[in-house]
Amino acid sequence: MNERVCTVASDIIDSISDVLRKHEVTFEEYRAGFRHLIAAAENHEVGLLLDMFFNQTICDIEMKSRQGTRSNVEGPYFLEDAPWVTDSVQVCGNTEPLRIRGQVRDTAGNPVPDVEVDLWWANPDGTYSGYSDDLPKKFFRGKLKTDAEGRYDVMGSMPIEYPMTSARHGPTGELISMLGRQGMRTKHVHQKYRKEGYHPLTTQAYFSGAAYIDEDPVKAVFDDLTYDLQLEGDVPVLEIETVLDSIAA
Ligand code: BEZ
Ligand code: FE
C-alpha cells in the first residue's frame, strides 16, 4: 500500500461521493458524466482537463511555503527538449515582435546566474509548436541560461490569446462552455526556471490591459504576474523580474 496515495485518493473518492449524494445525481446523469470523461480521454484531453481545473490549485499550495515569484499553471504544452537559443527564439507566420528580458534573483535580492530558463508561448494560430507536424518544436519555444547578473534577453513574438472552447478542445471546451466560462485564454508567456539548490519554478507573464485578462477561463491571472510593456523604438519589451526560493531557505 502507498500511504500518501491511499490518503489523498480516498479523500478524493469520498469527496466525489459526497457531491453525488448532495445533488442526488441520477444514474443517467452519472452515465452522461462518465461518457464525457471517456470522450475526453479518447480525444487525448486528460492532461488539458486536469490542468484546466486543478493545476493552479497545486501552484497555490506550493506558494504557502515560498516567498519568491508565484508559481502559475504549466498547462499541457511544455516540451522538455526545446532548442537552446541565444539572441532570439525562432518564429514563423504573421507575428508581431516582442523582446523578452528577464532578471532572476534569490529572495535576498542577489542575482542568480546559470539558471536554465525555458520560454514558450502560443503561435499566431493560437496553438503550441511540437503538437502537430505543421509546426516543429524549434518554433515559439527556447531554452537559455542566465548570465553572471542573472539576466537573459531574447527576441521573440507577441503571444496571442487563444480559445479553449474550439473544436480542438473537444469535451473539455464543452465543459468550459457548460460552466458558463468565456473560452479565451488571455495572452501569456510561459516560463520555467531550474537551477540546483533552488525550487524549480514554473510560471507565466500576463499583459496589462490585454483582452480577456479579467475573465481567464483557467482562473490563473494574478496582478503580481501582470506586466506593462515598454516600447524600444517600435518593439514592445516585456521585462520579467523573477525571484527563486532556495531549497535551504
Ligand atoms: C496554458 O497553456 O496556459 C494552459 C492550457 C490549458 C490549461 C491550463 C493552462
Ligand atoms: Fe498557454
Side-chain angles (χ1 to χ4, degrees):
M1 186 176 96
N2 180 316
E3 196 84 25
R4 179 79 174 151
V5 171
C6 180
T7 305
V8 177
S10 299
D11 261 10
I12 291 173
I13 292 164
D14 290 348
S15 300
I16 293 175
S17 294
D18 286 349
V19 170
L20 299 178
R21 275 196 204 90
K22 176 176 160 194
H23 296 287
E24 299 189 343
V25 169
T26 65
F27 183 71
E28 286 71 26
E29 288 168 336
Y30 162 68
R31 293 302 280 190
F34 178 105
R35 282 194 299 275
H36 206 90
L37 282 180
I38 299 281
E42 284 173 354
N43 219 22
H44 307 289
E45 284 175 33
V46 174
L48 175 67
L49 190 66
L50 291 173
D51 283 351
M52 175 78 210
F53 295 106
F54 302 113
N55 193 164
Q56 187 55 43
T57 305
I58 303 299
C59 297
D60 296 345
I61 295 165
E62 275 175 357
M63 292 320 293
K64 287 173 80 173
S65 57
R66 297 197 195 168
Q67 280 78 51
T69 297
R70 180 188 292 284
S71 171
N72 198 232
V73 285
E74 176 167 312
Y77 305 119
F78 170 67
L79 289 176
E80 192 55 75
D81 49 352
W84 284 94
V85 298
T86 46
D87 301 334
S88 58
V89 171
Q90 243 185 290
V91 300
C92 58
N94 192 11
T95 57
E96 284 175 29
L98 176 69
R99 185 167 205 124
I100 304 171
R101 280 204 195 111
Q103 187 172 30
V104 183
R105 296 176 183 271
D106 63 18
T107 49
N110 305 304
V112 189
D114 278 329
V115 179
E116 192 175 304
V117 183
D118 273 274
L119 301 171
W120 71 105
W121 61 88
N123 72 53
D125 290 338
T127 60
Y128 285 83
S129 68
Y131 285 85
S132 76
D133 294 341
D134 301 345
L135 189 61
K137 60 188 166 201
K138 66 179 179 180
F139 294 109
F140 300 97
R141 56 177 85 234
K143 224 179 207 343
L144 43 87
K145 284 233 170 165
T146 57
D147 68 12
E149 292 182 329
R151 295 183 192 279
Y152 60 89
D153 185 351
V154 281
M155 234 358 245
S157 66
M158 187 63 83
I160 63 144
E161 54 276 4
Y162 55 81
M164 303 197 72
T165 47
S166 69
R168 209 173 52 234
H169 297 93
T172 305
E174 280 171 42
L175 182 56
I176 295 168
S177 299
M178 284 191 277
L179 292 173
R181 295 189 192 179
Q182 76 79 28
M184 296 294 285
R185 265 235 90 195
T186 190
K187 60 188 180 186
H188 53 275
V189 175
H190 292 266
Q191 310 131 62
K192 189 186 275 289
Y193 300 88
R194 286 177 286 192
K195 179 171 177 165
E196 212 179 310
Y198 294 85
H199 287 286
L201 171 70
T202 303
T203 189
Q204 300 196 21
Y206 300 96
F207 298 79
S208 305
Y212 310 106
I213 189 138
D214 295 326
E215 40 182 358
D216 179 38
V218 187
K219 298 185 185 292
V221 175
F222 294 86
D223 287 349
D224 49 352
L225 298 178
T226 302
Y227 293 85
D228 293 330
L229 292 173
Q230 313 300 323
L231 268 185
E232 282 181 10
D234 290 343
V235 178
V237 181
L238 170 65
E239 291 253 11
I240 303 175
E241 295 285 331
T242 302
V243 177
L244 293 186
D245 285 275
S246 76
I247 287 173

